[in-house]
Structure formats: C-alpha cells, structure tokens
C-alpha cells in the first residue's frame, strides 16, 4: 500500500487543500438552494394555504389529481421545474400549453391559479408558481390515497417558455422502452424511477387519438377482450377527444393496479405496455410493483422528489411571478 508523504506545510499541498475546500463549499451551496423550510419566516401559512386550496379544487373534480401530477412532470421535463408550462401565449411568449403532448390534454391550471391567488393574498410576491406546482402535485397524490413526501422549496419562475423543448423532451404515447429510458436518463432519472413514475397512470385518462393505433393494430401484446371494450369506445375514425381511464377499476384511487394491468396486457398506451412485454428490461420492476404496493408507493414518492428538483431556477435567477400565466 502506498503511503502519502505527510508534509502539510508544503505550499503546494496547502493550495490543493484550499481548492478542495472551496469546491466542496460550492457544491454544498448549490445543493442547499432548495430547502424544506424556505417559507417558514416569510410565509408560514403558505403550505397550509396551498393544501386547502388544492383540496377544495379536488373536491369539485377528483380527476384533476392526475392532471396536477402530470402538470408538475411536464413542467420539470421542459427546461426544469420553473413553471414555464404555465405561461400563456403573448406577442413575446410562445406557450408550451399547445406544444406536442401538452396540446388539448394538459390540465390543472385553474387549480394552480386559485392556490396562487390565495397565497398572494397572505404574502404577496413570496411563493413561486413553480413551488406551488410541486406542492400541488404532492397534495393531489395524498388526496387520492397516494403517498406524501416533503417538498423542498425555492424554485423560481422562468421568464420564458420552451415549446420546442416540450416537443422534443416529453415522452410520447408511441415511445418504446429504450426511448423512455433514454428520455428519463436525460433528466437524471434511472430505469427504476422511470417505471415508478409511470405508475402515476394509476390515475387519469388518455384520449382516443393516443391509443387508437394500439387497439386496432391487432398486435399480440394486448388482451383481446380489453381491446374490444376500447374499440367500442374509440372509433377508428373520429371521436378523438373520447377518453378512457388508464386504470379502469380504480381510476380515482392511487394504487398498484396499473402494474397488474400491464402484466395482463391491459396497458392503455403503447408506452405503458412496453414496460411489460415478456422478457423486457423493465418486466421485473413491473412485477415487483404489481406485487408490493408499499414498495411502489415508497419508490414513487422518492422519484417525485427527485423529479421535482430537475434544474430549478434558484438564487436571483428568474422571478416570483405575481400571476402564474404571465411574466411580471
Ligand atoms: C392543438 O390541437 C388543436 C386541435 O386538435 C389543433 O387545431 C392545433 O393546431 C394544435 N396546436 C398545435 C400547436 O399543434
Ligand atoms: C369532442 O369533439 C367534438 C367535435 O370536435 C365536439 O363537438 C365536442 O364538444 C367535444 N367533446 C368534448 C368533451 O370536448
């Protein structure tokens, strides 16, 4: 074993030590920019206020829970969790709302706007829209029986939107498993986290236009009876906006039925079923989550935390929008 000569007084070693300490300090500083208790002094009732508002929106429309989780996901995957997805079209902003997979399918804006309005009333200009989106996704999960988790705070809001990134970076209903893995890896999320996050499809619906190819292709990887039911609902021509639930039995309740359905070849989208194809790289994880509901819940919560911390704007970057749909 080689021994390191100990000469701590050497100017070279001291310089090296100095650089090392500075590097560690910088890394720690970057990681510390989101924090659990950011609003403890500046807006102590922020989290309670958001939760109350989100709960009253969900009491009117429980289906919105899926929309709020997806909104956070589609925000974070496009230029980081910066509320860029909330910006409306203006002469200077090209909105993400109508781009790619968001068009005609992204929901939850009213619930976010309502929560933001309540928070602005108690502490104007303090709580970002990006943080509200992250907290709302957590509160939505808890509301429908899903896991809860601690949300670190301090994301700031973008002053621009990125529709081109929405087109290139968001997963598509036609993605194969390699593409899904690559997309999530590009955002710092591993295969297991990708499968866990796909389990959000325990909630919500998809539009006919996104699963028509799958149910009329007569492919081997779809249960015949299931395809028949869907064909009666979703015609070969027209009916693009007809919807079907991802989880037909408990569409408003967070559970692991999604994974059990995949094992019975009853995934709604092609991009759902590719997670369990018989010998695929993610089959084992699907089987595990289908069997162990608690494991899925824990992994989902951990993956949501990680997803919620993709490239946030922090420090003096961006701004705290007064209204989520427009820059100040
Ligand atoms: C969004 O969908 C609507 C209705 O299908 C369509 O008219 C519009 O062109 C789409 N917008 C974009 C940007 O693709
Ligand atoms: C579905 O689309 C049809 C025709 O485009 C329209 O008349 C109808 O209002 C839409 N339904 C819903 C629920 O959006």
């Amino acid at each position: 074993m080689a021994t390191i000569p100990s000469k701590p007084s050497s100017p070279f070693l001291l310089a090296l030590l100095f650089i090392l300490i500075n590097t560690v300090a910088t890394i720690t500083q970057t990681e510390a920019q989101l924090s659990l208790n950011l609003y403890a002094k500046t807006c102590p009732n922020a989290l309670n206020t958001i939760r109350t508002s989100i709960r009253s929106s969900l009491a009117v429309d429980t289906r919105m829970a899926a929309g709020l989780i997806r909104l956070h996901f589609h925000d974070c995957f496009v230029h980081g969790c910066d509320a860029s997805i909330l910006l409306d079209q203006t002469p200077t902003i090209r909105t993400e709302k109508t781009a790619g997979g968001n068009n005609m399918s992204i929901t939850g804006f009213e619930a976010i706007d309502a929560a933001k309005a309540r928070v602005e009333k108690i502490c104007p200009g303090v709580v970002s829209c990006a943080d509200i989106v992250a907290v709302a996704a957590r509160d939505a999960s808890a509301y429908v029986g899903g896991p809860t988790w601690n949300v670190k705070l301090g994301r700031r809001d973008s002053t621009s939107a990125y529709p081109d990134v929405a087109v290139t970076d968001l997963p598509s209903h036609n993605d194969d498993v390699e593409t899904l893995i690559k997309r999530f890896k590009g955002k710092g999320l591993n295969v297991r986290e990708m499968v866990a996050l796909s389990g959000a499809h325990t909630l919500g619906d998809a539009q006919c236009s996104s699963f028509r190819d799958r149910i009329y292709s007569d492919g081997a990887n779809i249960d015949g009876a299931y395809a028949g039911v869907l064909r009666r609902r979703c015609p070969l021509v027209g009916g693009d906006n007809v919807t079907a639930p991802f989880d037909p039995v408990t569409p408003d309740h967070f559970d692991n039925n999604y994974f059990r359905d995949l094992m019975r070849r009853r995934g709604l989208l092609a991009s759902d079923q590719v997670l369990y194809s018989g010998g695929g790289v993610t089959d084992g994880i699907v089987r595990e989550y289908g069997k162990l509901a608690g494991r899925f819940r824990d992994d989902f919560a951990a993956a949501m935390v990680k997803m919620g911390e993709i490239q946030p704007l922090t420090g003096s970057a961006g701004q705290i929008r007064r209204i989520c749909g427009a820059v100040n």
Side-chain angles (χ1 to χ4, degrees), residues 98-99 103-104:
T98 51
N103 193 20
M104 313 297 283

Side-chain angles (χ1 to χ4, degrees), residues 13-183:
L13 279 183
L14 278 179
L16 196 67
L17 198 64
F18 180 78
I19 290 167
L20 268 175
I21 287 169
N22 267 324
T23 308
V24 169
T26 309
I27 290 169
T28 311
Q29 206 173 38
T30 314
E31 285 177 346
Q33 281 175 338
L34 293 181
S35 78
L36 284 175
N37 52 6
L38 185 73
Y39 302 125
K41 290 216 175 81
T42 51
C43 192
N45 275 323
L47 297 186
N48 282 336
T49 304
I50 296 168
R51 187 176 58 223
T52 303
S53 185
I54 294 300
R55 280 183 178 172
S56 55
S57 293
L58 290 171
V60 175
D61 180 9
T62 313
R63 311 313 298 271
M64 192 59 75
L68 288 169
I69 292 170
R70 186 163 180 261
L71 187 64
H72 184 35
F73 169 46
H74 282 210
D75 182 29
C76 293
F77 260 53
V78 178
H79 209 263
C81 311
D82 60 358
S84 58
I85 195 168
L86 302 181
L87 290 174
D88 289 315
Q89 184 85 11
T90 71
T92 52
I93 301 276
R94 285 169 59 227
T95 187
E96 291 172 24
K97 292 183 178 182
T98 51
N102 287 341
N103 193 20
M104 313 297 283
S105 75
I106 197 87
T107 58
F109 301 111
E110 304 82 357
I112 298 298
D113 288 345
K116 172 68 170 175
R118 288 205 204 185
V119 172
E120 284 299 293
K121 210 171 267 176
I122 55 167
C123 15
V126 174
V127 182
S128 69
C129 296
D131 274 351
I132 292 176
V133 170
V135 171
R138 185 269 309 272
D139 293 345
S141 169
Y143 188 86
V144 293
T148 188
W149 54 88
N150 291 320
V151 179
K152 282 195 194 166
L153 304 160
R155 299 163 193 77
R156 290 168 63 87
D157 300 325
S158 73
T159 52
S160 191
Y162 309 90
D164 301 333
V165 183
V167 170
T168 56
D169 286 19
L170 289 173
S172 149
H173 59 86
N174 286 324
D175 282 348
D176 59 22
V177 74
E178 286 78 20
T179 306
L180 290 172
I181 290 171
K182 203 174 68 192
R183 286 190 193 285

Side-chain angles (χ1 to χ4, degrees), residues 146-285:
T148 188
W149 54 88
N150 291 320
V151 179
K152 282 195 194 166
L153 304 160
R155 299 163 193 77
R156 290 168 63 87
D157 300 325
S158 73
T159 52
S160 191
Y162 309 90
D164 301 333
V165 183
V167 170
T168 56
D169 286 19
L170 289 173
S172 149
H173 59 86
N174 286 324
D175 282 348
D176 59 22
V177 74
E178 286 78 20
T179 306
L180 290 172
I181 290 171
K182 203 174 68 192
R183 286 190 193 285
F184 280 73
K185 193 175 172 203
K187 305 295 171 184
L189 296 162
N190 64 30
V191 177
R192 214 176 152 78
E193 288 159 342
M194 182 274 283
V195 177
L197 290 170
S198 300
H201 284 179
T202 175
L203 306 166
D205 309 278
Q207 290 174 346
C208 180
S209 52
S210 63
F211 58 84
R212 180 182 286 120
D213 289 351
R214 171 161 160 74
I215 61 175
Y216 287 99
S217 68
D218 282 332
N221 208 18
I222 187 164
D223 174 79
Y226 178 66
V229 168
L230 290 173
R231 281 193 210 115
R232 281 194 285 283
R233 203 162 170 150
C234 172
L236 194 48
V237 177
D240 280 4
N241 57 4
V242 172
T243 62
F246 287 103
D247 173 356
V249 180
T250 53
D252 296 334
H253 186 74
F254 189 102
D255 54 34
N256 64 342
N257 283 345
Y258 170 76
F259 297 104
R260 295 160 174 271
D261 284 336
L262 295 184
M263 292 162 69
R264 297 159 68 209
R265 295 179 300 141
R266 294 182 172 207
L268 184 57
L269 304 181
S271 57
D272 291 315
Q273 195 60 60
V274 294
L275 300 179
Y276 192 89
S277 55
V281 284
T282 53
D283 284 18
I285 306 171

